[in-house]
Amino acid sequence: MKKYIAALLLVCLFVFVACGDKKQASDYRITDTSTDYGLTASRQEACNLLSAGTVIPRLDDVNTATNSQGSAFQSALVINETSGHVLYSKQANRKAYPASMTKVLTFLTAMRCGQLSDTLTVSENALRVMEGSTMAGLRAGDQISLQEALYAMILPSGNDAAITIAEGLGGSTEHFAEEMNETAASIGATHTHYVTVNGLHDDNHYTTANDMYLIFHEALKYPVFRDIISSKTHTGSFQSSGGLKRTLTWKNTNRYLQGSVQSPSDMTVVGGKTGTTDQAGACLVLLSKNARGEEIISIIFKAGNHAALYKQMNHLLEVYGQNR
């Protein structure tokens, strides 16, 4: 009888511990992104990570990594691109303003509509953008290849280059923006609606972290995109309206590539795309590699400022980048 009671107590203890473990696992609120957004990772895969013993801190933990003013990001996503696992997700389905991260979709649509050797003409309209917005230094009448225009659009985040691409390949920015929305829908980014080709603010210009992942993931299939985002600088060569050769050197807006921000020691930043407006805050979509050579895509929307953005991105990379 004593042996029977002891065995029964052991069974009860095992059930109690197992239930306790289930309760703890349920606290990890991994967003299910597979049904509506087409990601390769699902809630079940995230649960598999937990059951395999991977420690994934609660989603709210990252928001403790704030700057002295206490600012935190609105939404974020970290995905192991190599394995397809979602490593971190916070409000990844929430509508967000992408600012100049828009230009990743501008790139993707341009690659579907044109050839890198296509020659584009810079219009006066391309130079009429909001005062204080980022420019690549193009002049009206310049003749520039699509490839050079892509560098001018991505590296210094040139709004003039984005408009030049849109007008050259789509006839107008309005028509090209429609093409961008069709491109987004074709890859499953159905919660994206873009009005501008450069990301200057419009209340009806939005995406989500999940959709930004899909767009960035698709753009990475093009070797030229990887070349562009990983370049610290690039000297573009093109012709002026008078037929003279012009050269401009563009610097990457990504502070990791600039060398002003260091990534965690076990993570290597490949490149990405920044975005900043008053409404969007400071944003970044990033490709990195961990010590095992796995590619990690991390996304932050609406950090309070650039200092907070890179601090929080480093926290995401450090805590989640090495998770399998």
Side-chain angles (χ1 to χ4, degrees):
M1 178 62 69
K2 289 183 180 180
K3 290 183 179 180
Y4 175 79
I5 293 174
L8 182 62
L9 288 173
L10 284 173
V11 170
C12 291
L13 179 61
F14 174 81
V15 171
F16 175 78
V17 171
C19 291
D21 286 342
K22 288 183 179 180
K23 181 178 186 302
Q24 183 180 10
S26 70
D27 289 339
Y28 296 97
R29 294 169 290 154
I30 304 297
T31 301
D32 183 356
T33 54
S34 61
T35 303
D36 294 329
Y37 291 84
L39 298 187
T40 57
S42 65
R43 184 188 302 273
Q44 184 58 51
E45 288 173 319
C47 290
N48 289 342
L49 287 176
L50 292 173
S51 63
T54 303
V55 178
I56 302 182
R58 300 187 188 205
L59 298 181
D60 293 336
D61 289 352
V62 174
N63 275 343
T64 64
T66 58
N67 66 357
S68 58
Q69 285 74 41
S71 60
F73 53 73
Q74 170 186 292
S75 56
L77 186 64
V78 182
I79 291 181
N80 185 317
E81 180 77 340
T82 302
S83 70
H85 285 130
V86 173
L87 305 177
Y88 174 84
S89 176
K90 178 195 174 186
Q91 299 190 52
N93 304 334
R94 179 176 174 177
K95 183 173 80 172
Y97 298 128
S100 282
M101 290 197 299
T102 294
K103 290 161 183 163
V104 178
L105 185 56
T106 308
F107 166 89
L108 185 57
T109 306
M111 293 301 295
R112 294 188 170 196
C113 294
Q115 301 292 325
L116 292 175
S117 59
D118 289 346
T119 299
L120 312 174
T121 301
V122 181
S123 70
E124 291 283 357
N125 180 62
L127 309 182
R128 297 191 190 104
V129 294
M130 187 174 68
E131 183 179 356
S133 66
T134 53
M135 303 285 278
L138 302 179
R139 298 173 184 168
D142 283 345
Q143 301 282 313
I144 186 169
S145 69
L146 174 57
Q147 179 164 322
E148 296 287 37
L150 292 171
Y151 273 96
M153 178 180 70
I154 299 292
L155 287 191
S157 205
N159 293 322
D160 46 352
I163 294 173
T164 296
I165 291 169
E167 291 180 337
L169 299 181
S172 69
T173 56
E174 293 79 11
H175 183 263
F176 195 80
E178 292 176 5
E179 294 281 351
M180 290 168 65
N181 289 325
E182 291 178 9
T183 299
S186 73
I187 61 173
T190 56
H191 292 69
T192 292
H193 180 263
Y194 284 173
V195 177
T196 72
V197 300
N198 49 28
L200 291 178
H201 182 74
D202 186 293
D203 286 346
N204 292 315
H205 184 96
Y206 56 84
T207 187
T208 67
N210 282 333
D211 277 14
M212 181 56 65
Y213 164 75
L214 291 173
I215 295 165
F216 193 69
H217 165 84
E218 195 70 19
L220 287 172
K221 294 179 180 180
Y222 293 88
V224 67
F225 183 72
R226 289 175 175 263
D227 289 343
I228 293 172
I229 64 172
S230 63
S231 298
K232 296 179 180 180
T233 64
H234 175 78
T235 299
S237 179
F238 49 95
Q239 287 188 342
S240 69
S241 59
L244 299 177
K245 181 180 179 180
R246 286 194 69 204
T247 59
L248 288 172
T249 299
W250 300 302
K251 296 180 180 180
N252 203 318
T253 59
N254 189 321
R255 295 190 181 186
Y256 290 113
L257 274 293
Q258 291 175 356
S260 59
V261 174
Q262 298 298 316
S263 62
S265 59
D266 54 354
M267 299 295 298
T268 301
V269 170
V270 176
K273 185 69 195 81
T274 59
T276 308
T277 63
D278 290 343
Q279 297 84 355
C283 309
L284 179 61
V285 53
L286 195 68
L287 174 67
S288 307
K289 287 187 178 181
N290 63 22
R292 295 187 298 275
E294 297 169 326
E295 292 192 331
I296 306 296
I297 292 178
S298 50
I299 302 165
I300 287 179
F301 277 96
K302 203 171 185 178
N305 53 51
H306 288 101
L309 170 66
Y310 286 93
K311 180 177 180 180
Q312 292 158 2
M313 183 63 79
N314 271 353
H315 188 75
L316 287 176
L317 293 176
E318 186 174 11
V319 174
Y320 299 95
Q322 291 296 332
N323 281 331
R324 295 184 183 275

